[in-house]
Amino acid sequence: MISKKLRKQIIDTEKQIQVEGEKNLDIVMCASIIALYRYYGWRTKRLSRLLEIHQEVWNEVAEDNSKSVLKLLDEECGIELTNHEGVSYRDVIFLNSDIDDGRQLTGYQWLYMRQNQLKWIETQITGCVALAMHRKEGWGFERVKQLLLYIQDIKEEYDYDRRRLLDGCYRETGYDWEGKTLEEDQATT
């Protein structure tokens, strides 16, 4: 039985993860769309494919639940990502070990793990884009690495500003990460 205080902390943390997840998904996907548009010539149909394969890989990793996206990216592509603090996923137990090893976490262990995941949301979403390009598009180490550098540059170009990235993505590519295109927009006006 967990205390009311711990239950509230867990609920608050889960809400914060949801909010941060949505924000970082917008940031990463818009930066990815811009990168693929600018540097690889992807247009609407292929950009839509990015959204599909990203979700497919995210679901594959969640279903298996034995390794993090970051560990799989490292194992499959040889790419080790760090978070904004420069910390490697290898230094964080829940990101570098077999996740589903049968142990039951206490309430406090769960809270600690989830609070630490906040620092890794953006990195895991970015890693999932890279892993999706590798698994579903057949991209190798060099190409995935270059895409990650482009994505990082674009996130920095927009100062990680969610609103600016959403607007910039739509303005530059005619496509937002949710799939609305300029053509569709003009047809409805």
Side-chain angles (χ1 to χ4, degrees):
M1 188 74 178
I2 61 174
S3 69
K4 285 182 181 181
K5 180 181 176 183
L6 177 58
R7 183 180 314 279
K8 182 179 178 346
Q9 288 175 310
I10 290 172
I11 290 169
D12 290 347
T13 299
E14 294 298 331
K15 286 178 184 174
Q16 190 177 5
I17 286 172
Q18 180 69 31
V19 168
E20 287 298 307
E22 290 170 7
K23 177 184 93 176
N24 283 289
L25 185 62
D26 288 348
I27 289 169
V28 171
M29 295 311 289
C30 286
S32 300
I33 288 168
I34 292 169
L36 290 166
Y37 183 90
R38 276 185 194 171
Y39 303 109
Y40 297 95
W42 284 34
R43 296 303 182 251
T44 303
K45 187 177 247 181
R46 289 194 81 193
L47 293 171
S48 294
R49 174 82 178 128
L50 168 66
L51 305 179
E52 292 168 14
I53 64 177
H54 178 269
Q55 190 62 51
E56 287 173 18
V57 171
W58 192 264
N59 292 342
E60 288 169 10
V61 173
E63 274 181 34
D64 181 21
N65 198 33
S66 65
K67 296 180 181 178
S68 73
V69 167
L70 302 177
K71 185 170 184 173
L72 290 168
L73 181 63
D74 192 5
E75 289 176 354
E76 294 180 26
C77 299
I79 296 174
E80 175 186 353
L81 294 182
T82 60
N83 69 5
H84 290 292
E85 298 169 351
V87 176
S88 170
Y89 83 92
R90 293 178 183 170
D91 297 327
V92 181
I93 188 113
F94 69 85
L95 293 172
N96 73 13
S97 63
D98 289 340
I99 297 169
D100 191 10
D101 63 2
R103 287 183 289 166
Q104 183 70 31
L105 299 177
T106 68
Y108 288 105
Q109 288 170 325
W110 179 261
L111 178 62
Y112 177 77
M113 178 189 72
R114 296 297 278 167
Q115 287 172 334
N116 279 291
Q117 284 177 337
L118 283 166
K119 299 175 188 174
W120 290 93
I121 291 173
E122 183 265 334
T123 308
Q124 290 195 82
I125 295 169
T126 302
C128 189
V129 168
L131 190 59
M133 297 307 287
H134 169 69
R135 284 184 175 180
K136 305 295 183 176
E137 293 290 315
W139 286 24
F141 169 80
E142 288 298 328
R143 203 164 182 201
V144 170
K145 182 177 132 187
Q146 186 60 57
L147 175 62
L148 288 169
L149 293 172
Y150 289 144
I151 291 169
Q152 184 62 34
D153 288 346
I154 291 165
K155 288 188 282 191
E156 290 172 3
E157 174 186 335
Y158 285 90
D159 297 320
Y160 287 84
D161 185 295
R162 178 187 201 176
R163 181 77 264 146
R164 286 185 59 218
L165 266 161
L166 286 164
D167 293 344
C169 179
Y170 188 67
R171 191 172 45 257
E172 183 171 340
T173 70
Y175 190 98
D176 74 16
W177 77 271
E178 295 173 309
K180 182 172 77 174
T181 64
L182 286 174
E183 296 80 30
E184 291 170 353
D185 195 36
Q186 291 169 351
T188 60
T189 58

